[in-house]
Amino acid sequence: MFQWDLVCEKKSLNQAIATFFFIGVTLGSVLFGYLSDRFGRRRILLLAFAVTLFFGTMTAFSVSYLMFIVMRSLCGVGLTGISIISLILAVEWTDVKHRTFCGTISGISWSVGYMVLAPLAYLIRSWHWLLLAVTSPCLLSIVIWWWLPESSRWLLTKKKVESAHSYLSRCARVNGKKDFHSRITMEILQESVITDESRNYFYWHLLKTSKLRRITLCSAAVWFGVSFTYYGITLNISGFSLDPYVTQFMFGAIEIPAKVCVYFVLDRIGRRHCQAWTLIATGFLIALNAYIPAGKERTEMQSCNQLYTCTESIELEQNQ
């Protein structure tokens, strides 16, 4: 950021870019979560792609620091929409038996993207072109979007039985379920539709009952701890006194075995035990890290922390 003289006494403005980005992420999680429930997963996912593509491109062409942080924040809004809606859409089209596998594949995709960013940033040293490069996959996503089905679960909650049956029929045809029409008829789907016309939920319903309040507050506390640790480590790549590109690649690579491990143990020991013990292990390693001298050993311990933190985030995805 030498272009805007963000050095010396202005160095804090450079570090504040991540803060503004995550403000956009927070707003996007609230906004797109509600919009996807209100107007459907598919069309709001397209909106998220368009928002990310537009504001990501505008960020690359920023002519001032103020324009950069505003565009970057709005890009964060769209990126959160993509993350939330794509996961929801995948889970709602997956049966319970394969839901853990679906979540694991989604998590590994994140890690692969994290790894790819390292050589990409090494080859493209201009931040303008790098931002355009990492934003360009949204164009491909918009093309693929035309083949994405709407969530049949969402369609049924909105009493759009014919559309739900059409998507389910297509899914059955692709999976070779020839007896679908004899087993799942329009009448059966009609009976499964919620008859209560007044059911319209919002965020405050998460605090309506004591059980919901407990689950919501516990989940919020866990997510805060996980995010605080995960991004506190990954956003401080330059603080490890190693090549930042190699460190970036390593942080993405060590997540993959952790997420594969989650896939094999999650259904065997359960969500709660898996969640609890990985949180305990993470806390222990972070505390132990404080007593290790700075240098190679400290770097290795930070990598272990990253592995456990990534495991936690995948486990939380399984609970959604």
Side-chain angles (χ1 to χ4, degrees), residues 175-291:
N175 288 280
K177 304 294 183 180
K178 299 180 180 180
D179 59 340
F180 170 79
H181 291 283
S182 62
R183 294 177 55 190
I184 308 296
T185 63
M186 291 281 291
E187 291 73 18
I188 294 176
L189 289 180
Q190 190 68 49
E191 292 175 359
S192 67
V193 172
I194 299 174
T195 57
D196 188 359
E197 297 282 351
S198 64
R199 290 197 178 189
N200 191 15
Y201 298 108
F202 201 65
Y203 290 109
W204 54 72
H205 287 93
L206 295 173
L207 304 174
K208 196 171 183 179
T209 66
S210 59
K211 185 175 182 179
L212 275 176
R213 280 195 298 270
R214 184 172 66 254
I215 294 174
T216 301
L217 294 176
C218 287
S219 297
V222 170
W223 266 115
F224 175 81
V226 168
S227 301
F228 193 85
T229 306
Y230 183 88
Y231 291 108
I233 295 175
T234 57
L235 294 178
N236 190 35
I237 287 178
S238 60
F240 291 106
S241 301
L242 293 173
D243 186 291
Y245 304 104
V246 175
T247 308
Q248 172 86 17
F249 183 86
M250 289 173 58
F251 274 10
I254 62 176
E255 290 186 359
I256 294 179
K259 293 173 180 180
V260 172
C261 179
V262 166
Y263 171 71
F264 287 106
V265 303
L266 197 64
D267 290 330
R268 287 175 171 80
I269 67 175
R271 271 66 169 162
R272 293 181 63 189
H273 287 90
C274 197
Q275 180 71 78
W277 284 109
T278 50
L279 286 172
I280 293 171
T282 302
F284 173 76
L285 289 173
I286 292 176
L288 183 64
N289 190 40
Y291 297 96

Side-chain angles (χ1 to χ4, degrees), residues 11-250:
K11 187 177 181 180
S12 59
L13 294 178
N14 190 8
Q15 298 170 341
I17 293 174
T19 301
F20 287 106
F21 173 76
F22 281 105
I23 289 175
V25 168
T26 303
L27 295 175
S29 62
V30 175
L31 177 64
F32 279 97
Y34 170 75
L35 291 177
S36 65
D37 282 342
R38 180 73 175 80
F39 300 104
R41 286 45 166 133
R42 189 170 179 267
R43 68 176 70 177
I44 301 302
L45 180 59
L46 178 62
L47 176 63
F49 284 140
V51 168
T52 304
L53 179 62
F54 177 77
F55 289 111
T57 304
M58 292 299 294
T59 304
F61 290 101
S62 297
V63 296
S64 66
Y65 176 77
L66 179 60
M67 178 181 177
F68 183 88
I69 60 174
V70 171
M71 294 299 104
R72 188 64 178 156
S73 299
L74 294 174
C75 183
V77 173
L79 281 170
T80 307
I82 295 174
S83 301
I84 292 176
I85 300 172
S86 59
L87 180 61
I88 292 174
L89 192 58
V91 169
E92 289 183 341
W93 271 109
T94 308
D95 62 337
V96 176
K97 181 181 179 181
H98 298 93
R99 203 162 285 175
T100 302
F101 177 78
C102 177
T104 304
I105 293 298
S106 298
I108 290 177
S109 300
W110 169 283
S111 302
V112 171
Y114 207 100
M115 294 167 60
V116 171
L117 179 60
L120 198 63
Y122 180 80
L123 295 172
I124 306 175
R125 297 303 177 95
S126 171
W127 66 268
H128 301 276
W129 288 105
L130 180 60
L131 283 173
L132 288 175
V134 298
T135 305
S136 59
C138 287
L139 286 172
L140 178 61
S141 299
I142 290 175
V143 174
I144 297 175
W145 175 87
W146 293 97
W147 285 273
L148 281 179
E150 179 57 275
S151 168
S152 59
R153 294 174 183 266
W154 180 83
L155 289 169
L156 289 175
T157 62
K158 298 300 179 180
K159 298 179 172 50
K160 299 181 180 182
V161 179
E162 292 185 7
S163 297
H165 190 269
S166 175
Y167 280 119
L168 288 170
S169 299
R170 187 193 307 177
C171 179
R173 185 168 60 254
V174 170
N175 288 280
K177 304 294 183 180
K178 299 180 180 180
D179 59 340
F180 170 79
H181 291 283
S182 62
R183 294 177 55 190
I184 308 296
T185 63
M186 291 281 291
E187 291 73 18
I188 294 176
L189 289 180
Q190 190 68 49
E191 292 175 359
S192 67
V193 172
I194 299 174
T195 57
D196 188 359
E197 297 282 351
S198 64
R199 290 197 178 189
N200 191 15
Y201 298 108
F202 201 65
Y203 290 109
W204 54 72
H205 287 93
L206 295 173
L207 304 174
K208 196 171 183 179
T209 66
S210 59
K211 185 175 182 179
L212 275 176
R213 280 195 298 270
R214 184 172 66 254
I215 294 174
T216 301
L217 294 176
C218 287
S219 297
V222 170
W223 266 115
F224 175 81
V226 168
S227 301
F228 193 85
T229 306
Y230 183 88
Y231 291 108
I233 295 175
T234 57
L235 294 178
N236 190 35
I237 287 178
S238 60
F240 291 106
S241 301
L242 293 173
D243 186 291
Y245 304 104
V246 175
T247 308
Q248 172 86 17
F249 183 86
M250 289 173 58

